Amino acid sequence: MKKALLVSVVIFISIITMAVVYELPELVFAHNGRIISVSGEHVVEGSSICVVNLQIPTIRALSNVAFESFVNSEIKSAIESYRNEIEEMADEAYEASKGQEWPFRTFSVYVTYDAYLSDGILSIDMIFSEYTGGAHPGAARRTYNIDVNGNHMVSFKSLFPDEAFESRLNSLLAEEIGKREDLWLDSFKGVEPDQGFYLKAGRLNVYFQPYDIGPWSSGMPEFVFNMDELR
C-alpha cells in the first residue's frame, strides 16, 4: 500500500512540476478625463504532458460595470476553453502513446495579449498558440474591440462610413499583398465581416490568420493604414 502510494506521488510530481501565477504590469489609458486600465495574470504550469503559459487580461473602470464584467467573462472563458481543449488532446495523446514505438511529445498552450486605446476604442489583442506534436505550432489571433463611450463591442463593418471606404481598403490591401512574394494575392477576395483588426495611434491595423493569404512561414500578415487615406 505504501509502495503504491509512493509510486503515485512520484508520478504526480513528474507530471506537475511547476504552477506559478505572476501579476502582469498594468496598462493604463486616459480617456475623456477617465482612467481605464488593463491588468492581468500570467499563469505558468509546467508538466511532462502539457505546458501551460497563459496571460489573462482584466479590463477595469469602464463606465458600465455590467458590460465590463461581461467582456472580462467572455475573454476569460475563451482562454479557459482553449486551455481545456489542448489539455484534453494532450491527455488523449499521452494515453495513446503508451506502448507505442514513437515517443510522446509534450504539448503546450500559450496565450499572450496587448492592449491599445485609440479613438475611443479599447482593443485587447490576443495570440492563441498551441503545440500538439506536429511539425510546428498552431496559432490564431483574436482581438476584442470595445467602444468605451457606448459600452459595446465594435464590429469591423461598423468602421465603414460607406461602400467606398471598403472598396478603397480592399484596393490598398491588394496592392500591399501583391508587393510581397511570400503572400498569395489570389487568395485575397476582400475583407471579411469578421476581419481581424484593431486601432492604434489613430491608424487601422488589419491582420490575417495563418494560411489565409500565405504559408505558415509568413505568420499572421498585418497591414497598417491611416484612416484619412481610406475616406
Side-chain angles (χ1 to χ4, degrees), residues 15 45-52 86 90 94 103-109 130-134:
I15 293 175
E45 295 182 11
S47 104
S48 59
I49 296 178
C50 185
V51 174
V52 174
I86 303 305
Y94 178 73
F104 173 78
R105 295 183 178 181
T106 302
F107 282 37
S108 62
V109 53
E130 78 279 346
Y131 177 73
T132 56

Side-chain angles (χ1 to χ4, degrees), residues 15-89:
I15 293 175
I16 304 297
T17 60
M18 178 179 63
V20 182
V21 178
Y22 303 94
E23 292 296 323
L24 294 169
E26 186 176 31
L27 302 175
V28 179
F29 307 96
H31 179 73
N32 290 343
R34 192 167 78 252
I35 298 297
I36 297 171
S37 69
V38 178
S39 57
E41 291 184 339
H42 188 179
V43 179
V44 179
E45 295 182 11
S47 104
S48 59
I49 296 178
C50 185
V51 174
V52 174
N53 196 319
L54 308 174
Q55 294 183 0
I56 307 171
T58 299
I59 302 166
R60 302 186 188 281
L62 293 183
S63 59
N64 186 312
V65 176
F67 177 69
E68 176 184 287
S69 178
F70 165 77
V71 175
N72 285 330
S73 178
E74 285 288 302
I75 294 174
K76 186 174 183 179
S77 177
I79 295 172
E80 290 177 346
S81 295
Y82 180 61
R83 170 186 178 164
N84 291 338
E85 178 186 357
I86 303 305
E87 286 187 322
E88 287 177 7
M89 292 173 60

